[in-house]
Amino acid sequence: MSNSESKYNARIIAFGKYVPDKVLDNKYFESIVDTTDEWITTRTGIKERRILEKGATSDLAVKAIQDMVRRFNIDLDTIEVMIVATVTPDMFFPSTACVIMDKLEMENTWGFDLSAACSGYIFAASTARAFIESGLYKRVLVVGADKMSAITDYTDRNTCILFGDAAACTLFERTENKNDGIIDELLYCDGSGRNHLYMLGGGSLNPASHETVDKKMHYIYQDGKAVFKVAVIGMAEVAYEIMVRNNLKPDDVAYLVPHQANLRIIEATRQRMGIDPEKVMVNIHKYGNTTAATIPLCLVDYYDEGKLKKGDNLILASFGAGFTWGGIYLKWSLD
Ligand code: COA
């Protein structure tokens, strides 16, 4: 049962995904930077990632939403709010949410972008939950979409091997069943982590200039080792804590749905939870780190493989820039 006092819960009634066709495998990276397939595979778990050659984050999102419409015959006019989690908006403003709504002619919807990096989907799902549990709205669409290739320096072997482009979405709907959908959440920020993972240029601190371009300030910077240390603890602890708070034993958990940044972080989280390896959703080998898209992309892929069933207890967990991290206990609502 949900631990919130609302008479409503927010459950997922539809979803969709889109990954671009263009594949960059580890061999390709061997040809552009000093790396090996072996290093990338053993240090990260990544074998391939998808890249959007033409277009922007909104184009990824539009295709994911169209996939949802095809699968579930959703009338987009019934969606009241759209939250787009992204760190690669089409532009500063207007929001990517507005661009998507225009492209899909969604005239009954309002919405906005949400910036929480790799925790974007979890923070956006929590926001959707709050909108629904407050009684204000019945249907809220959460989109996780990132065109990471737009901010990746393909001469920097530390970061370029990690990221890919993708979008996935989940539609949350109000239910009066308190034992369905989002049951619990735990969200955290620690701004002191902002110096380890960031994109310095283009904002009000360092507006775009010749100098910011020359200094490669419009690309992701990550101190991998520093982030790794806190990510392992943050993601493992939040997943464990949400299990304990909800009296879930390892046998009660159907799946851990982790943010896909590094297989070793995912494995540490699994161990902390005490669950079996087959209960962990993993698709990092196919897509790399797609930032806000990883968690919904996992849900869609595992559903398509017939591995999800109604009532499954899922623990969603993420860690990302900020630092931001969080966990959601979700009961799966679809057969
Ligand atoms: N190929 C070969 N060698 C590489 C490399 C690559 N693509 N990238 C880095 N290296 C080198 C480093 O230069 C370093 O060499 P040195 O010891 O001579 O300095 C060595 O490999 C080890 O680097 P290190 O940073 O210790 O590797 P790691 O085991 O920490 O793995 C990451 C690097 C990025 C995969 C890992 O730190 C990581 O996943 N970090 C967290 C990512 C994350 O969760 N981000 C938050 C969400 S986005």
Side-chain angles (χ1 to χ4, degrees):
M1 291 285 280
S2 169
N3 55 12
S4 79
E5 288 172 14
S6 167
K7 61 182 177 175
Y8 303 121
N9 265 24
R11 64 181 186 135
I12 291 175
I13 60 154
F15 49 76
K17 75 160 194 182
Y18 177 71
V19 293
D21 294 333
K22 170 95 175 168
V23 175
L24 298 186
D25 62 12
N26 290 349
K27 283 272 163 222
Y28 170 77
F29 286 89
E30 288 182 354
S31 74
I32 62 165
V33 290
D34 181 15
T35 192
T36 59
D37 171 39
E38 204 264 331
W39 191 95
I40 301 171
T41 307
T42 53
R43 305 310 290 163
T44 71
I46 301 166
K47 297 297 278 184
E48 297 180 349
R49 51 311 266 149
R50 303 298 185 98
I51 302 297
L52 184 69
E53 291 182 284
K54 274 198 191 126
T57 295
S58 65
D59 298 304
L60 295 165
V62 162
K63 288 209 164 80
I65 296 167
Q66 286 169 334
D67 179 48
M68 176 185 79
V69 169
R70 256 191 313 272
R71 287 166 183 264
F72 295 94
N73 199 21
I74 296 294
D75 176 358
L76 292 181
D77 285 340
T78 64
I79 296 173
E80 296 158 284
V81 187
M82 183 199 301
I83 307 170
V84 180
T86 187
V87 288
T88 51
D90 285 19
M91 55 195 93
F92 267 163
F93 66 90
S95 69
T96 307
C98 284
V99 177
I100 296 166
M101 286 183 237
D102 182 49
K103 288 182 177 177
L104 291 170
E105 297 177 10
M106 295 170 72
E107 287 165 8
N108 292 342
T109 312
W110 74 276
F112 54 90
D113 293 358
L114 182 150
S115 174
C118 296
S119 299
Y121 176 79
I122 293 224
F123 281 27
S126 154
T127 308
R129 175 199 192 197
F131 278 145
I132 287 171
E133 289 200 5
S134 69
L136 277 176
Y137 300 102
K138 291 191 182 115
R139 277 192 170 185
V140 181
L141 180 62
V142 172
V143 184
D146 271 300
K147 185 187 174 184
M148 296 307 289
S149 61
I151 57 168
T152 298
D153 176 0
Y154 285 96
T155 66
D156 175 12
R157 71 174 183 172
N158 291 295
T159 52
C160 71
I161 53 124
L162 297 172
F163 297 99
D165 303 339
C169 61
T170 55
L171 180 58
F172 286 88
E173 185 177 75
R174 176 198 287 183
T175 173
E176 289 186 21
N177 180 355
K178 292 297 288 175
N179 199 27
D180 192 15
I182 296 181
I183 307 291
D184 194 15
E185 66 181 46
L186 272 172
L187 307 176
Y188 297 101
C189 281
D190 176 0
S192 68
R194 69 197 167 97
N195 296 321
H196 299 299
L197 180 50
Y198 52 74
M199 189 181 97
L200 267 186
S204 53
L205 182 63
N206 298 293
S209 67
H210 285 294
E211 193 193 356
T212 63
V213 174
D214 290 344
K215 290 186 171 167
K216 298 189 167 193
M217 289 162 76
H218 299 272
Y219 291 130
I220 305 160
Y221 168 82
Q222 173 171 249
D223 176 351
K225 221 174 278 192
V227 177
F228 187 88
K229 277 186 202 151
V230 275
V232 162
I233 295 166
M235 209 162 97
E237 287 307 318
V238 80
Y240 177 70
E241 205 182 328
I242 207 155
M243 270 177 77
V244 170
R245 260 168 58 128
N246 290 280
N247 298 316
L248 292 171
K249 302 282 171 276
D251 282 349
D252 302 325
V253 176
Y255 285 102
L256 163 67
V257 194
H259 170 56
Q260 312 277 308
N262 188 311
L263 202 52
R264 292 180 290 146
I265 299 172
I266 294 171
E267 173 58 15
T269 306
R270 178 193 77 75
Q271 285 183 13
R272 182 71 175 111
M273 294 170 74
I275 60 171
D276 295 334
E278 62 273 12
K279 289 185 168 188
V280 182
M281 291 194 186
V282 175
N283 60 15
I284 190 171
H285 52 291
K286 295 194 284 187
Y287 309 127
N289 182 349
T290 57
T291 304
T294 58
I295 289 175
L297 201 53
C298 273
L299 291 172
V300 180
D301 277 1
Y302 274 68
Y303 181 87
D304 285 347
E305 289 167 23
K307 291 177 176 167
L308 270 174
K309 59 179 194 309
K310 194 172 173 173
D312 275 349
N313 290 318
L314 309 180
I315 303 291
L316 284 46
S318 70
F319 191 93
F323 293 128
T324 54
W325 68 108
I328 283 180
Y329 168 24
L330 174 82
K331 254 189 198 294
W332 188 248
S333 313
L334 290 150
D335 276 321

